[in-house]
Amino acid sequence: MTVAVRVIPCLDVDAGRVVKGVNFENLRDAGDPVELARRYNAAGADELTFLDVTASTADRQTTADVVTRTAEEVFIPLTVGGGVRTEQDVARLLRLGADKASINTAAVARPEVITQITRRFGSQVLVLSLDARRTTDPGCPSGYEVTTHGGRTGTGLDAVAWCREAAERGVGEILLNSIDADGTRDGFDLEMIRDVRAVTRVPLIASGGAGRPEHFPPAVAAGADAVLAASIFHFGPDHMMGSVKDALRKAGHVVR
């Protein structure tokens, strides 16, 4: 049975507003998260990802009120991330209305938390969010380094090896975001997608770089099970969701 490719808009939220930049810098306002969630739900998005982009840096939890109001507006799976550190944080997000929780910084600091969360809630609840950038550091033989705190902090950790380890620890999905491609609208980092796909069969969500509908099919061909984007949906025409799905369909991929 062929599984349909999922198209996922991403809401990067800071201080209650959706923001978007280039390479994680020069953020600009993109609107109200609840209103955008409502719009994308109506447009046919398959899922929605909500990331509180400053929660880890500010050492706080994800903003509860915005998550609750967003969850009330959508009838598709909602993934929420930002400041997720413990099983209790995941339980809290599920109570607020999230279907899945995304973890990044805390998992790098304490990898065993992946096992703890997935044993309690199941692998399907936990998404590893990985912000990777290209590097020549010999400690990262794949050529990609894991970053934390919204891309602000380098870790010296090899991104491909980290994907393999996280999958072995039980994470249900991997959201693979290219910092170098992020916000550029020049297309996904296909090489990075292929390299990660080569080491794990865990469902892979490609993120970073989408600028036109024709950018999405190559990401799926490279090994992505789902494609996530922000700028193209936030600042594009209302029919963009349909255009992306049409491009995937024309390339021979099954979409909902």
Side-chain angles (χ1 to χ4, degrees):
M1 176 180 171
T2 303
V3 178
V5 175
R6 291 168 289 149
V7 179
I8 308 173
C10 184
L11 305 178
D12 293 318
V13 179
D14 182 16
R17 298 287 293 179
V18 176
V19 296
K20 189 58 193 166
V22 178
N23 308 132
F24 284 32
E25 297 179 347
N26 301 316
L27 300 179
R28 61 171 169 150
D29 187 273
D32 175 66
V34 180
E35 176 55 37
L36 286 174
R38 184 186 300 120
R39 188 173 101 195
Y40 295 146
N41 184 82
D46 299 307
E47 295 186 12
L48 192 65
T49 293
F50 176 112
L51 300 177
D52 190 327
V53 295
T54 56
S56 290
T57 302
D59 194 25
R60 59 173 172 78
Q61 293 182 317
T62 307
T63 307
D65 174 61
V66 181
V67 173
T68 300
R69 291 190 293 119
T70 301
E72 289 172 349
E73 291 295 331
V74 300
F75 303 97
I76 52 179
L78 174 64
T79 299
V80 179
V84 175
R85 301 175 184 85
T86 65
E87 297 172 62
Q88 290 72 30
D89 292 334
V90 174
R92 171 176 169 272
L93 291 178
L94 296 178
R95 286 195 301 271
L96 293 175
D99 299 281
K100 294 182 273 190
S102 170
I103 193 168
N104 179 356
T105 298
V108 172
R110 199 165 62 89
E112 62 272 17
V113 74
I114 293 175
T115 307
Q116 292 166 359
I117 291 170
T118 55
R119 280 179 178 169
R120 177 173 173 183
F121 300 103
S123 292
Q124 78 284 350
V125 163
L126 191 63
V127 179
L128 177 75
S129 181
L130 193 160
D131 299 324
R133 65 187 178 198
R134 289 178 178 265
T135 181
T136 56
D137 184 343
C140 299
S142 72
Y144 306 101
E145 178 189 22
V146 175
T147 70
T148 59
H149 299 89
R152 297 172 180 83
T153 306
T155 65
L157 183 64
D158 185 271
V160 174
W162 175 226
C163 286
R164 183 195 296 113
E165 179 181 347
E168 291 171 349
R169 287 180 176 274
V171 74
E173 290 184 288
I174 295 172
L175 169 53
L176 182 65
N177 187 50
S178 168
I179 293 179
D180 302 295
D182 179 77
T184 64
R185 302 198 189 194
D186 291 332
F188 293 93
D189 188 329
L190 304 181
E191 184 180 11
M192 185 165 67
I193 295 169
R194 283 191 290 265
D195 288 348
V196 172
R197 172 50 71 218
V199 301
T200 178
R201 301 314 303 168
V202 166
L204 186 59
I205 305 167
S207 170
R212 301 191 302 274
E214 55 264 35
H215 285 155
F216 290 80
V220 177
D225 301 279
V227 280
L228 178 145
S231 299
I232 190 174
F233 296 128
H234 300 341
F235 306 118
D238 289 341
H239 61 74
M240 185 58 73
M241 186 70 61
S243 298
V244 168
K245 290 196 172 188
D246 284 344
L248 287 164
R249 200 176 287 113
K250 288 176 183 177
H253 303 296
V254 176
V255 296
R256 295 188 178 116

